[in-house]
């Protein structure tokens, strides 16, 4: 089609499901800060004044349930929840975290006769495209940016009267495959009692306009702010939350394929997480190197097996070199075993809490190791092989 509309959504760090992702990743970082080889698979559920943390770990014996609770309370505090019905100070905890299964450990651990294997079977996808400067699909990129900017303004005190819970949805018009303008924007944000719908609209409008490229703002009648008319009751008081329920928000907003596995609360031996990061890393570097305008990578694994079962590259008819040549170069440059990925991207660090909201991809790498899969250090290596 020469012209069409595509929509993606994002949710803020105060959304009930994202609270759970934040807590699960905070627990993971707690373990990795004590022992980089820790194994963690932790899930969280929240509802009114209640947090439940379950899962399996293998790590330092001196990490107690009290330590886990403290990390979770700090996560809730940093999000900004100190309201009636859900507060970092008063919420009750039930923590059921136990040792990792010995059967899983036997298949995953290295030994005299085998390298470290994948933590589970599954398929993982990575994607990159030229729609934005961070090589992400534009609808999810701008959905994230709106909410991130609003959260920063709320925490700094720049904007008053907004709560932590929010959702955005951006619909972009595409012409000849390129995004050109917002067709509609939906933003629902928790707010203080007493603020009218019009007042909330004027509070958030500047952040929406600022997040979009100049001239992309939708028409006034296509801007929907708190369309129910009121959003005072928010967070776990209004809706329960679970880890891993926002996997499309976490990745490409539906603009690319998804293998189905969630990320948060999982250490990097779990290829659901680490291989999704590696496939994004490879796809982004292929696009940045100029070999395609759009690229999707698929990796597949079997539990206990070190090397991927398959590697697939698709440049969606935008490539200028054969896909087989790209696959060959990737195989030559990148060790996609679980150990190889962790070593290449330096994933055995407490770097995961910031990934739990506003997307795992399209973010800025830091000197501390956050978002290392967004680096472009493969570009020159690919060009040396392919030309």
């Amino acid at each position: 089609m020469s012209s069409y509309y595509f929509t993606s959504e994002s949710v803020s760090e105060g959304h009930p499901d994202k609270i759970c992702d934040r807590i699960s990743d905070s627990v993971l970082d707690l373990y990795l800060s004590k022992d980089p080889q820790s194994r963690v698979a932790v899930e969280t559920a929240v509802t009114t004044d209640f947090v439940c943390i379950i899962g399996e770990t293998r790590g330092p014996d001196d990490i107690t349930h009290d330590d886990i609770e403290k990390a979770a309370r700090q996560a809730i505090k940093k999000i900004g929840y100190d309201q009636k019905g859900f507060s970092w100070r008063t919420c009750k905890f039930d923590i059921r975290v136990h040792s990792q299964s010995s059967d899983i450990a036997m298949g995953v651990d290295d030994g005299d006769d085998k390298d470290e294997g994948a933590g589970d079977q599954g398929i993982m996808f990575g994607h990159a495209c030229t729609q934005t400067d961070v090589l992400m699909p534009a609808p999810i990129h701008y959905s994230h940016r709106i909410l991130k900017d609003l959260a920063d303004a709320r925490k700094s005190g720049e904007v008053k009267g907004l709560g932590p819970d929010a959702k955005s949805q951006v619909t972009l018009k595409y012409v000849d495959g390129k995004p050109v303008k917002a067709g509609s924007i939906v933003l629902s944000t928790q707010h203080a009692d007493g603020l009218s719908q019009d007042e909330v609209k004027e509070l958030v409008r500047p952040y929406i306009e600022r997040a979009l490229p100049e001239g992309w703002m939708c028409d006034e009648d296509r801007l929907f702010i708190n369309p129910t008319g009121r959003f005072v009751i928010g967070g776990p008081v209004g809706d329960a939350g679970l880890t891993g329920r926002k996997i499309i928000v976490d990745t490409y907003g539906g603009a690319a394929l998804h293998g189905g596995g969630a990320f948060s609360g999982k250490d990097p031996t779990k290829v659901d997480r680490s291989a999704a990061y590696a496939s994004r890393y490879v796809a982004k570097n292929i696009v940045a190197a100029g070999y395609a305008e759009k690229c999707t990578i698929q990796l597949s694994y079997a539990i206990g097996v070190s090397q991927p079962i398959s590697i697939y590259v698709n440049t969606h008819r935008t490539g200028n070199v054969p896909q087989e040549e790209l696959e060959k170069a990737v195989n030559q440059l990148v060790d996609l075993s679980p150990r190889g990925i962790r070593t290449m991207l330096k994933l055995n660090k407490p770097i995961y809490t910031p990934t739990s909201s506003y997307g795992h991809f399209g973010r800025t790498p830091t000197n501390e190791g956050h978002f290392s899969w967004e680096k472009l250090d493969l570009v020159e290596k690919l060009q040396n092989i392919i030309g």
Side-chain angles (χ1 to χ4, degrees):
M1 294 183 293
S2 62
S3 178
Y4 60 91
Y5 291 86
F6 191 85
T7 304
S8 294
E9 73 156 349
S10 179
V11 297
S12 73
E13 63 204 72
H15 184 281
D17 295 331
K18 279 292 152 198
I19 298 170
C20 296
D21 287 343
R22 176 76 167 254
I23 291 172
S24 295
D25 275 334
S26 296
V27 174
L28 169 62
D29 281 348
L30 170 66
Y31 273 86
L32 291 176
S33 68
K34 300 272 190 176
D35 179 1
Q37 304 304 318
S38 293
R39 302 288 172 83
V40 180
V42 166
E43 315 289 345
T44 304
V46 297
T47 188
T48 304
D49 262 339
F50 181 74
V51 179
C52 178
I53 303 175
I54 63 173
E56 303 80 44
T57 63
R58 190 175 75 193
D61 293 334
D62 60 348
I63 294 179
T64 66
H65 283 188
D66 286 342
D67 295 324
I68 292 172
E69 180 178 326
K70 182 179 179 181
R73 287 193 188 276
Q74 285 302 305
I76 297 167
K77 181 181 181 180
K78 288 179 181 178
I79 292 170
Y81 274 109
D82 191 11
Q83 63 188 39
K84 183 179 179 181
F86 195 75
S87 169
W88 67 274
R89 305 172 193 271
T90 60
C91 55
K92 303 296 189 294
F93 278 80
D94 187 3
I95 299 175
R96 307 292 179 95
V97 176
H98 58 81
S99 299
Q100 182 189 48
S101 161
S102 58
D103 289 349
I104 293 176
M106 180 177 63
V108 174
D109 290 349
D110 57 357
D112 294 337
D113 59 344
K114 66 184 283 291
D115 192 9
E116 183 179 286
D120 202 353
Q121 70 175 51
I123 56 174
M124 298 83 207
F125 289 96
H127 182 77
C129 61
T130 56
Q131 293 179 23
T132 61
D133 58 354
V134 293
L135 304 184
M136 283 288 288
I140 187 67
H141 176 67
Y142 295 120
S143 295
H144 286 322
R145 179 178 287 183
I146 290 168
L147 293 183
K148 180 67 165 59
D149 288 352
L150 274 172
D152 290 344
R154 171 178 60 84
K155 292 177 179 180
S156 70
E158 180 181 310
V159 62
K160 307 286 187 181
L162 299 185
D165 195 356
K167 301 176 76 170
S168 65
Q169 187 170 282
V170 174
T171 300
L172 296 184
K173 181 179 181 180
Y174 284 74
V175 176
D176 296 327
K178 308 291 184 184
V180 297
K181 184 182 178 181
S184 63
I185 295 171
V186 182
L187 176 65
S188 296
T189 179
Q190 185 184 10
H191 60 87
D193 199 3
L195 282 179
S196 69
Q197 189 172 12
D198 287 341
E199 287 172 325
V200 173
K201 191 172 189 177
E202 293 314 307
L203 276 177
V204 303
R205 183 196 299 274
Y207 298 94
I208 297 173
E209 292 175 343
R210 192 183 307 167
L212 296 170
E214 186 176 354
W216 278 37
M217 188 65 177
C218 64
D219 296 338
E220 185 65 20
D221 64 349
R222 303 302 297 170
L223 177 62
F224 303 97
I225 306 298
N226 284 2
T228 65
R230 176 181 167 88
F231 188 1
V232 173
I233 300 171
V237 181
D239 193 10
L242 290 170
T243 302
R245 278 207 301 202
K246 289 293 179 282
I247 58 175
I248 301 303
V249 170
D250 284 343
T251 52
Y252 307 101
L257 297 168
H258 193 295
F263 301 155
S264 290
K266 297 177 181 177
D267 74 77
T269 66
K270 280 71 171 174
V271 284
D272 276 347
R273 183 168 215 162
S274 57
Y277 290 170
S279 55
R280 160 67 177 172
Y281 174 63
V282 171
K284 184 177 183 181
N285 276 269
I286 286 173
V287 171
Y291 296 121
E293 293 182 13
K294 182 190 293 188
C295 180
T296 299
I297 306 289
Q298 186 206 55
L299 304 174
S300 68
Y301 292 84
I303 188 169
V305 178
S306 61
Q307 291 297 323
I309 302 301
S310 65
I311 302 172
Y312 167 71
V313 178
N314 184 354
T315 54
H316 305 275
R317 301 182 183 178
T318 69
N320 51 38
V321 297
Q323 292 177 171
E324 296 82 0
E325 205 168 322
L326 292 172
E327 290 177 8
K328 184 178 178 181
V330 170
N331 271 315
Q332 184 174 338
L333 285 174
V334 182
D335 179 359
L336 291 169
S337 68
R339 186 197 300 276
I341 293 171
R342 293 204 319 282
T343 301
M344 172 179 65
L345 299 179
K346 299 179 173 60
L347 297 182
N348 285 103
K349 295 181 177 182
I351 56 174
Y352 296 101
T353 300
T355 69
S356 60
S357 52
Y358 313 116
H360 292 245
F361 307 123
R363 308 289 292 275
T364 303
T366 70
N367 293 333
E368 293 75 31
H370 304 92
F371 306 104
S372 60
W373 48 94
E374 293 295 314
K375 291 183 177 181
L376 295 175
D377 51 0
L378 274 185
V379 168
E380 187 175 346
K381 296 174 183 178
L382 284 167
Q383 292 170 341
N384 287 338
I385 292 175
I386 298 172

